Amino acid sequence: MSTWSVEDFLNKKYKEYHHPRFIQNDPIAIPHRFSKKQDIEIAGFLTATIAWGQRTTILKNAARLMEYLQNSPHDFICHHTDNDLIDLQNFVHRTFNANDLYFFIESLKNIYTRYDSLEDAFIGNQKNPGMEEMLIGFHRTFFSLDHFPRTRKHLSTPARNSACKRLNMFLRWMVR
């Protein structure tokens, strides 16, 4: 009889997934295209936001989204004009539509005018915040601008008893 341990299982999974050929067919490939911290954060955040459905569709739409952001997400977020947003009007991924995207861009711009990074925005002004406090604080900061109520469904919060799966996936990506 063989003994099985969590450590053995995790080591097996690590060996299975921790290599570049796995990344190319996974949504994590999108933030891996960038080297600037803020570009990586934005690409990861937006990709995680639309990460539901078929993997190939997620990859296709996330890549298209990066093209709309001129493959320089941070620069686009911080310096776009109203004319730059016109091209985004046709973006849709399942229930995430152009209105949601417009808000996400404006909210990210607001965040990057106040913080150097999304990491800083998660921490906020808190001293040693716990995960739940960080998620709730980020959600509050993200939705501090006027927005369509329907847009809230794309960013969860533990304050509404959500497990925040996509947001936690984004945070795991950023740690890696």
Side-chain angles (χ1 to χ4, degrees):
M1 177 183 244
S2 68
T3 55
W4 177 88
S5 73
V6 172
E7 181 181 5
D8 292 337
F9 173 76
L10 292 175
N11 285 331
K12 178 183 174 193
K13 291 300 176 185
Y14 175 83
K15 289 176 185 172
E16 184 178 345
Y17 295 115
H18 190 69
H19 51 78
R21 74 176 183 272
F22 177 77
I23 290 173
Q24 68 188 3
N25 295 316
D26 190 78
I28 187 89
I30 303 301
H32 270 268
R33 294 178 177 185
F34 301 98
S35 57
K36 181 179 171 186
K37 178 180 182 172
Q38 292 85 353
D39 287 338
I40 294 167
E41 290 177 332
I42 293 166
F45 180 73
L46 293 174
T47 300
T49 298
I50 64 167
W52 82 98
Q54 292 183 335
R55 183 182 291 203
T56 54
T57 304
I58 295 164
L59 283 165
K60 181 183 81 166
N61 285 337
R64 187 166 53 109
L65 182 51
M66 293 306 109
E67 288 174 18
Y68 284 144
L69 301 181
Q70 302 166 358
N71 288 305
S72 184
H74 183 246
D75 186 56
F76 185 94
I77 294 292
C78 293
H79 302 106
H80 69 273
T81 65
D82 289 343
N83 284 339
D84 294 328
L85 298 176
I86 292 171
D87 290 339
L88 306 179
Q89 67 189 350
N90 295 320
F91 185 82
V92 174
H93 177 81
R94 299 177 61 99
T95 65
F96 189 86
N97 64 30
N99 288 328
D100 301 319
L101 181 55
Y102 294 149
F103 174 75
F104 269 58
I105 288 171
E106 291 308 313
S107 184
L108 287 169
K109 182 176 183 175
N110 181 50
I111 287 170
Y112 280 105
T113 59
R114 297 169 56 193
Y115 300 98
D116 186 51
S117 67
L118 287 182
E119 178 182 8
D120 294 342
F122 270 91
I123 296 168
N125 298 322
Q126 305 174 65
K127 299 252 192 261
N128 300 317
M131 182 58 80
E132 185 173 345
E133 292 83 17
M134 283 194 316
L135 291 169
I136 291 169
F138 181 78
H139 186 271
R140 193 174 298 124
T141 299
F142 194 82
F143 286 109
S144 64
L145 301 176
D146 288 337
H147 56 279
F148 292 113
R150 71 171 302 285
T151 301
R152 283 186 170 265
K153 71 182 175 181
H154 297 296
L155 187 65
S156 54
T157 175
R160 293 199 181 116
N161 296 320
S162 172
C164 303
K165 287 188 228 176
R166 286 181 278 156
L167 202 47
N168 278 305
M169 177 178 62
F170 160 72
L171 293 173
R172 282 192 311 274
W173 288 351
M174 294 304 100
V175 170
R176 293 181 185 150

